[in-house]
Amino acid sequence: MKVEIKIDPNIEEPAIVIHAPKITPEVLMWAEMFEGAGDRASLLIAKKNDKLFVIEPEQIEIIRTEGGDIKLYNREAQEYMLTKPLHELQEQLGSGFARISKSAIVNINRVDHLSHSFNGTMYIVMKNGVNDYISRKYLSDFKKRLGL
């Protein structure tokens, strides 16, 4: 890998640009490594159609594991792919997000409604229409977070 540093006194904030012929696991790894640097650490880098997108936490509705992939759904229910495991994402995103199952994290501020479901679980619907179940293991903590 080639590394080049340019010094320009007119630049107010350091920036990193990755030049590559295509998106590879190595390119994604470098992007994720640098995304957490600085004061914008909660921003996520997500992939969609071989492009990388910067996703702000307030745009996220739900992040969940589907068929071995980590998928993020935004306010418009658009689907993006992530490479970090859920526990790292939850830690990075902070207190505005809650675990609802072993395979899902939701933005608490984007919950539309909840309803009781079978077997002691609850059904959650996000404001973008994406839905999931809150497992019994995470239900009491989730209710506390909502003040229920």
Side-chain angles (χ1 to χ4, degrees), residues 28 32 35 42-48 51-56 60-66 68-74 78-90 92-93 97 105:
L28 288 172
E32 286 184 356
E35 82 173 286
S42 60
L43 295 176
L44 297 181
I45 303 295
K47 182 180 175 183
K48 181 179 181 179
K51 294 180 183 174
L52 293 176
F53 294 88
V54 177
I55 310 289
E56 296 176 349
I60 300 169
E61 297 273 323
I62 186 169
I63 300 172
R64 63 184 176 197
T65 304
E66 295 179 11
D69 295 324
I70 307 292
K71 295 186 179 179
L72 176 153
Y73 293 89
N74 68 4
Q78 295 171 325
E79 182 181 300
Y80 297 86
M81 303 291 290
L82 299 168
T83 56
K84 286 186 179 179
L86 284 176
H87 70 275
E88 285 183 26
L89 292 166
Q90 185 176 4
Q92 181 179 348
L93 291 168
F97 289 79
I105 300 167

Side-chain angles (χ1 to χ4, degrees), residues 22-36:
K22 64 180 183 176
I23 294 177
T24 64
E26 183 184 25
V27 170
L28 288 172
M29 178 202 66
W30 285 107
E32 286 184 356
M33 182 188 319
F34 292 114
E35 82 173 286

Side-chain angles (χ1 to χ4, degrees), residues 10 16 25 31 38 60 87 91 99 116 126 143:
N10 297 321
I16 296 172
I60 300 169
H87 70 275
E91 184 178 307
R99 194 74 170 247
H116 289 283
M126 305 305 291
K143 283 182 173 181

Side-chain angles (χ1 to χ4, degrees), residues 108-109 111 114 124 134 141-148:
I108 294 173
N109 298 316
V111 174
L114 305 166
I124 185 170
I134 305 172
D141 286 340
F142 186 77
K143 283 182 173 181
K144 285 177 189 172
R145 296 283 304 276
L146 291 180
L148 300 175

